Amino acid sequence: MPQIFTPSADTWPRVGVGLGIVAVTAAILLGAGLVQSAYVTSVDWVVDQPVPFSHLHHAGELGIDCRYCHAGVESAPNAGLPATEVCMTCHSQIWTGAPMLAPVRESLAKGEPLRWNRVARLPDYAYFDHSIHVSRGVPCVECHGRVDEMPLMKRGEPFTMAFCLDCHRDPAPHLRPPDQVTRMDWSDWTAERAADYGRRAMEAHHIEPSRLDDCGVCHR
Amino acid sequence: MRRATLLLLALAACEMADQPRYDAYEPAPLFPNGASVQPPPEGAVARGYPARAATLATRPPLTPALLDRGRERYAIACVPCHGIAGDGDGVVPSRGFPPPPSFAEPRLRAAPAATIVDVITHGHGVMYSYADRVAPADRWAIAAYVRALQTSLGTPAADLPEADRAKLAEAGR
């Protein structure tokens, strides 16, 4: 009677199972790395804009407060993009012929808003309100990075759920005095000073991390 | 069947991230100009307009809180041109913008607070209106702080109390 199983009959399934384990592990590792990579989170990727606006120049070198242009940040969910008139407040008098600013002048002349391309974006299922973060003293730099050092705007932090939760679960080290919320450089604050301030601020504002990571805080 | 369910789930996930609604600043193909925020129709009256108009018409009592608010708002909206001291020595004039007058000028010292509020509201000369950036209550706060700056601009350092002079020397270093 001929043999049904060849000598290699056991080998193939074993190789198959081995390869399967390797493939699943690789997929998990790749997946985990990929979702945190800049390719997915867009961190540090410059977004093309109709006008190459420099935050480095305006916020950094000239020291103009963030709220000069983003005037809604203290009172509204959206920080607010400046209307063309805000640009023209200065540029009606300086750099009036600059080719770089032609789209701004055209926007004012035609009454058509500039179409900026979004840099910091959250998915629609995440509810976010700037005003509460600003009034409790989460400084701009915490989520947007050193905007004052960016010649062209890019995303400073990965806007992943983990990024939001890291702070919601342990806000103390991230909080700063609300009257200095637009300050970018906090290098003179030691970790101890930040933790100490954060603890007091949380007491004063009744910030309770145990409730800050409830689903309904961000997903409404 | 299972494939159809998976496809549906994937579609639902995309839908959730970009839900069929117009958020602020989102492009809106529904409107001819493609913007989700449309200009109000002619003759429209903004919600809360009477309250805003009343705030603008009535000068609030001068309090330390009003001055503090004024200092903060002045630093945001005015410092770029008028300078931190109110002498017109801001960073924007240093780059070629026609310099604004110092608040120490006699005609500006004599101007009533309502005039300062009016200039913030409507602009003046090359200065644009700040009505869309500075709320009515904050315009009064800034006007109050401009008065404080005028006092400071007219006060010799020698007249300051000892403690303030020490602070000034510290800041100047």
Side-chain angles (χ1 to χ4, degrees):
Chain A
M1 187 182 158
Q3 292 288 334
I4 296 173
F5 296 105
T6 58
S8 63
D10 262 4
T11 312
W12 289 115
R14 282 180 187 172
V15 169
V17 168
L19 280 178
I21 292 172
V22 170
V24 168
T25 315
I28 292 172
L29 289 179
L30 186 76
L34 192 69
V35 295
Q36 284 171 25
S37 71
Y39 183 76
V40 171
T41 62
S42 308
V43 169
D44 274 349
W45 282 42
V46 164
V47 179
D48 282 338
Q49 301 290 1
V51 179
F53 179 84
S54 168
H55 279 89
L56 165 71
H57 175 63
H58 292 87
E61 292 162 5
L62 300 182
I64 297 172
D65 192 281
C66 308
R67 292 164 290 187
Y68 186 93
C69 301
H70 304 291
V73 77
E74 293 166 301
S75 53
N78 263 281
L81 275 161
T84 303
E85 279 80 5
V86 176
C87 310
M88 293 300 280
T89 304
C90 295
H91 291 296
S92 60
Q93 298 292 324
I94 48 179
W95 295 102
T96 48
M100 213 188 262
L101 295 176
V104 182
R105 295 189 294 270
E106 198 182 318
S107 159
L108 189 80
K110 287 189 178 167
E112 275 179 24
L114 283 160
R115 293 183 183 219
W116 300 101
N117 294 310
R118 200 159 191 115
V119 174
R121 187 182 189 280
L122 289 179
D124 279 358
Y125 51 75
Y127 171 87
F128 178 82
D129 192 317
H130 270 96
S131 64
I132 184 64
H133 291 86
V134 169
S135 74
R136 290 297 177 262
V138 181
C140 308
V141 67
E142 193 61 41
C143 300
H144 297 290
R146 287 301 295 268
V147 168
D148 62 326
E149 293 174 351
M150 296 180 191
L152 293 173
M153 196 56 188
K154 56 193 185 185
R155 197 181 281 189
E157 295 287 347
F159 286 168
T160 56
M161 182 161 157
F163 171 74
C164 299
L165 279 178
D166 279 349
C167 190
H168 272 224
R169 287 178 173 157
D170 182 20
H174 306 277
L175 295 173
R176 297 290 182 274
D179 62 347
Q180 298 174 56
V181 78
T182 58
R183 183 173 144 192
M184 285 277 141
D185 183 7
W186 293 92
S187 53
D188 62 329
W189 273 46
T190 59
E192 294 82 60
R193 184 174 176 193
D196 180 55
Y197 172 79
R199 198 167 28 77
R200 281 185 286 121
M202 281 168 63
E203 261 170 43
H205 295 307
H206 309 291
I207 300 172
E208 288 170 33
S210 61
R211 296 215 311 253
L212 269 186
D213 66 351
D214 286 355
C215 308
V217 170
C218 309
H219 305 296
R220 309 186 165 182
Chain B
M1 181 61 208
R2 218 177 59 198
R3 200 173 288 177
T5 316
L6 278 176
L7 193 71
L8 214 66
L9 275 175
L11 272 176
C14 298
E15 269 297 81
M16 278 178 69
D18 192 7
Q19 293 165 15
R21 63 168 197 235
Y22 289 154
D23 290 309
Y25 304 111
E26 203 169 287
L30 190 64
F31 296 108
N33 69 354
S36 52
V37 181
Q38 293 294 305
E42 218 166 298
V45 177
R47 237 171 93 188
Y49 173 78
R52 285 170 65 90
T55 309
L56 200 54
T58 335
R59 180 179 169 175
L62 183 63
T63 60
L66 187 78
L67 277 175
D68 277 346
R69 178 75 184 173
R71 173 156 65 181
E72 187 187 66
R73 297 295 114 178
Y74 180 86
I76 297 167
C78 319
V79 160
C81 283
H82 291 280
I84 200 144
D87 51 6
D89 188 22
V91 70
V92 175
S94 80
R95 305 297 171 111
F97 198 94
S102 166
F103 292 136
E105 272 190 18
R107 75 179 168 92
L108 293 179
R109 283 183 187 279
T115 304
I116 300 171
V117 170
D118 188 69
V119 168
I120 301 172
T121 306
H122 298 111
H124 181 80
V126 293
M127 175 179 158
Y128 271 33
S129 160
Y130 277 70
D132 56 341
R133 284 166 266 181
V134 181
D138 289 338
R139 291 174 218 165
W140 285 110
I142 289 174
Y145 185 64
V146 166
R147 286 280 178 263
L149 287 175
Q150 287 172 332
T151 309
S152 126
L153 282 167
T155 307
D159 288 3
L160 292 175
E162 184 58 47
D164 286 346
R165 258 194 317 215
K167 252 196 221 167
L168 194 66
E170 183 68 30
R173 234 184 294 143

